[in-house]
Amino acid sequence: MNYHWDWGIFFKSTGVGSEIYLNWFVSGLGWTIAVALAGWIIALLLGSVLGVMRTLPGKLLPTIATTYVELFRNVPLLVQLFIWYFLVPDLLPTPLEMWFKQGISPATSAYLSVVVCLGLFTAARVCEQVRTGIQALPRGQNNAAQAMGFTTVQTYRFVLLPQAFRIIIPPLTSEFLNIFKNSSVASLIGLMELLAQTKQTAEFSANIFEAFTLATLIYFVLNMSLMGFMAWVEKRVRIPGMMGGSK
Amino acid sequence: MALDFSQIIPALPGLADGMVLTLKLLLLAVTGGVVLGTLLALARLSDNLVLSRLAKWYVNYFRSIPLLLVISWFYLVVPMVLSWITGDLTPVGAFTSCLVAFVMFEAAYFSEIVRAGIQSISRGQINAAYALGMTYSQAMRLVILPQAFRKMMPLLLQQSIILFQDTSLVYAVGLMDFLNTARSKGDVVGLPHEFLLFAGAVYFVISFGASQCVKRLQKRLAV
């Protein structure tokens, strides 16, 4: 075994400008977080609307939402990313296409594609969680709200959703963690997020093990902290009197 | 933009080769993942504290990092470690690296499914097995696991469908799986969009069809 270990590598100059390797990791982590958070906002908003649609009476709205879920769940994430990045811009009206291809920096266009892709991909999963949460509520909740004269919108807004969202915090947490992990696909369309920076460090410095170990640690710590944070949120919003709640 | 799908048909034999590689990887990864996952689940549930801790760490570790990172790790590390062990510098190739990555990664996910399956079997079953004079391993092998696997079949299949889609990530190391073959064929004939859409459609049809079958199976197995 003749591998030359050097844990000081992160503080050495990259040879590009005055940066040290650690700068690359910091900026990569920044992109990873920026992708995941923006994607999560889209996923949560769209996923909630779709989830509600799946529980509404009637045929049309639930069918639309179900079709959406099946479509986005059964096509690999990477294929979806390529479609958003390579194909969709060509379908846009010419001024928009030009703007996407030349008006903004390559990093911005990759960022926009991956955010839209992850947002819509994760929305399908959030939709299923929201639907499960609503359907897990006792039917009496809906009936009681109707009996009080609430409209459908009011029923969802004041009765069903506030309870459903608290029930589904654990599965939503794992979707939230997934979006961080899935954001690594952005490295395949050239966005310099954490994984891409790691690969670049490995190539430039030849210290493969150190670079990948640091990346693994960052993902691990990120996950653990998010899990801890979500457990705290879950505790704060627990509904008293329910299985998970206080007495 | 007008789409022209006429070039897909002549390219079908090449695309089929890509699909064969995808399915081969899937089959081997699922088999390896289930075997390793079952061992991990048994370790996790064992009374041996060291063993159950180790299994827990393993699962937590692999569940908190992205699959793409695992693939990159193994792509670089597996050949190196193998050459240290064997002293042989012959490259092992991207396929072996990816297979090892998938087996180890998926084992963490399969092990949680198997553990839930084992835990859903009533305690009376193992007590009855003991009462019949079986050892722990006999009770597991002959009584608990067969029932557990039957219960968790739908979940295992569902996870395999997810894995089928995730195999497309081998694109990162240049393995010619179905997606990568479609991408390169599309580039060669100058119709990248059509080939990408076709690949997406094929993935959709297979995944959707398979999950409909799993749903039906779930209903049949439901008590």
Side-chain angles (χ1 to χ4, degrees), chain A residues 162-204:
Chain A
Q163 298 183 72
F165 271 111
R166 290 192 262 191
I167 295 177
I168 58 170
I169 285 178
L172 276 189
T173 303
S174 55
E175 285 315 325
F176 188 43
L177 297 176
N178 277 340
I179 208 168
F180 274 90
K181 288 184 271 173
N182 284 337
S183 67
S184 58
V185 291
S187 65
L188 298 180
I189 56 166
L191 186 71
M192 291 310 282
E193 47 65 76
L194 188 52
L195 181 59
Q197 296 283 14
T198 307
K199 282 183 179 168
Q200 186 171 261
T201 303
E203 261 166 44
F204 271 56

Side-chain angles (χ1 to χ4, degrees), chain A residues 51-71:
Chain A
V52 168
M53 275 165 73
R54 281 201 79 167
T55 62
L56 287 174
K59 264 247 138 51
L60 181 66
L61 293 178
T63 310
I64 294 175
T66 310
T67 311
Y68 179 95
V69 171
E70 293 300 349
L71 191 61

